[in-house]
Amino acid sequence: MDMAKREPNNQADQLVGAFSRIDEKVSQMRSLAESDQESLMDKLLKFALPSIAGLLAGKLFQAFWSSLVRKRNGDMDTEEGDQESATAGLLFAVLSAAVTTLASGLIERGSQTLIDKRHK
């Protein structure tokens, strides 16, 4: 009978211990979140500005490339004029990726600098 009484207490102790560990983990996560200097707006700036800049740079480069292709084809917008060789397509892809990455990287650095200045 003594064993039967100890088992529920032991299970209760284990349950209390488990809740205690969960409480400690939540407290650690809360203190980590509170010690983070960056606000939601800062994090949004760091994500959105480089993404938008990369998208705009890609679209601008695509428009520039299309104008070069039109000039090469004598300002004719025909299906035959739009056909590019594999080398030209590969060149476009490489240059477009480079321009997009460069623009995103520069804007990312700029937004981080802006956030750092704001924190000071």
Side-chain angles (χ1 to χ4, degrees):
M1 201 165 206
D2 196 28
M3 287 288 268
K5 287 184 180 179
R6 281 189 169 180
E7 242 179 75
N9 286 339
N10 190 18
Q11 289 176 352
D13 290 341
Q14 288 176 352
L15 189 60
V16 169
F19 282 133
S20 177
R21 287 190 300 275
I22 291 170
D23 185 46
E24 288 172 9
K25 184 65 176 178
V26 168
S27 295
Q28 286 176 348
M29 292 172 70
R30 183 183 305 122
S31 67
L32 182 64
E34 289 172 353
S35 68
D36 189 12
Q37 288 185 4
E38 292 184 353
S39 67
L40 180 62
M41 187 64 173
D42 293 341
K43 291 180 182 186
L44 187 64
L45 272 174
K46 284 174 56 175
F47 170 74
L49 282 180
S51 299
I52 293 170
L55 178 70
L56 287 175
K59 290 296 181 183
L60 287 173
F61 185 77
Q62 184 178 11
F64 171 73
W65 186 266
S66 295
S67 71
L68 286 179
V69 170
R70 271 195 306 276
K71 283 181 185 177
R72 185 186 72 193
N73 294 333
D75 283 333
M76 298 175 90
D77 256 350
T78 63
E79 288 182 25
E80 295 162 359
D82 288 340
Q83 296 292 328
E84 296 182 17
S85 68
T87 306
L90 183 62
L91 181 63
F92 169 74
V94 168
L95 290 176
S96 177
V99 167
T100 303
T101 302
L102 182 65
S104 294
L106 289 174
I107 295 296
E108 184 177 354
R109 284 184 181 181
S111 62
Q112 183 62 49
T113 303
L114 179 70
I115 290 169
D116 290 343
K117 284 183 180 179
R118 211 179 93 194
H119 286 182
K120 288 180 182 178

